[in-house]
Amino acid sequence: MTQPTTTPIAIETTTPPGTLWSRMKSDPQYAPEHLALEAVRRLGPEAARWAERTRAERPGLSPDELAVLAVKHFTTLARVSGAVSGAAGLPGAVLDVGILAWTQARMVLHVAAAYGVDPTAPERATELLVLQRVHKYGETARIALGVAAGRERASRLFTGASGRPLTRVLITMGVRLAQMAGVRAARRVFAKMVPGAGMILGTWVNSAATKELARRARIQYRKG
């Protein structure tokens, strides 16, 4: 039987937008919260369109089958995300884990849409942070999102450098994003700073973390 295919990736959402990188850089401790908020805003509508179009093209697909398509698609994308930035050293490592966390957030929102859950709803940001194990409980995730949203609004009024050394900012941001992308991915923040270590990054590390996240997401949204 011919296997259905997912709709093409929207090129403009393959990597986090520049405005998000700027917010995370200015507020690195809350980088995962800023990413989750932006993911729901930008990627939620994409996931909803994908699910609607795929159901129209393949009306016989069950929610489980639709979710499998999303997982396969984004797991494949996650395997190569470590090579997307092409940058070396600490900045490259931070880019890599940021792209991986963004790809994983896309997958979770597409899985939600596959099971008929609105991927554009604000509560998806809370669920992203819990599923990606940034926060253990929804209540603490909601509080952190509220703090991040408030700081985002404030940053529009008070722009400028934070005054903190760039290396310290990047390390904080990288560790927080690595936590979001999966525990094993944390090694990548520092491994890429070692000459030649970048060769081992990507593939199995990204794939393992993404598959485990997919398993949790499918359990979450299958329950409705």
Side-chain angles (χ1 to χ4, degrees):
M1 183 178 67
T2 303
Q3 293 296 318
T5 57
T6 56
T7 54
I9 299 172
I11 299 298
E12 67 274 11
T13 58
T14 306
T15 60
T19 52
L20 173 58
W21 285 116
S22 296
R23 284 200 300 277
M24 293 192 296
K25 182 180 172 183
S26 65
D27 194 19
Q29 188 61 35
Y30 285 90
E33 286 78 13
H34 289 297
L35 190 147
L37 289 167
E38 187 70 14
V40 172
R41 281 194 293 257
R42 283 184 180 257
L43 305 178
E46 172 196 80
R49 290 192 298 269
W50 170 84
E52 182 179 4
R53 196 178 335 176
T54 306
R55 287 193 189 98
E57 293 170 354
R58 305 287 302 196
L61 283 180
S62 69
D64 276 329
E65 290 170 327
L66 194 56
V68 166
L69 287 177
V71 171
K72 286 183 177 179
H73 182 79
F74 289 107
T75 300
T76 299
L77 194 61
R79 287 195 189 104
V80 299
S81 67
V84 171
S85 71
L90 180 58
V94 175
L95 283 171
D96 286 352
V97 292
I99 291 169
L100 177 57
W102 183 253
T103 299
Q104 291 178 345
R106 290 181 79 193
M107 179 188 70
V108 170
L109 293 172
H110 279 68
V111 169
Y115 286 106
V117 177
D118 182 6
T120 68
E123 56 265 33
R124 297 294 85 79
T126 299
E127 291 161 5
L128 276 173
L129 293 175
V130 175
L131 284 167
Q132 293 182 283
R133 294 181 172 173
V134 176
H135 295 282
K136 189 173 182 179
Y137 302 108
E139 184 58 32
T140 55
R142 279 188 287 273
I143 291 171
L145 285 166
V147 172
R151 291 157 81 105
E152 178 183 328
R153 288 190 292 270
S155 70
R156 297 189 189 120
L157 299 176
F158 305 101
T159 57
S162 64
R164 288 170 290 184
L166 180 58
T167 298
R168 182 177 169 187
V169 168
L170 288 178
I171 288 176
T172 301
M173 182 173 153
V175 169
R176 293 290 287 148
L177 290 174
Q179 178 191 6
M180 186 178 196
V183 175
R184 291 182 181 180
R187 302 173 188 171
R188 304 173 69 241
V189 176
F190 301 100
K192 197 168 185 182
M193 297 173 65
V194 180
M199 297 296 294
I200 66 170
L201 305 181
T203 58
W204 73 269
V205 174
N206 291 7
S207 179
T210 304
K211 285 179 179 178
E212 174 57 24
L213 174 61
R215 184 189 66 81
R216 297 194 297 270
R218 291 186 65 192
I219 291 171
Q220 165 84 18
Y221 295 118
R222 187 186 288 120
K223 293 188 298 186

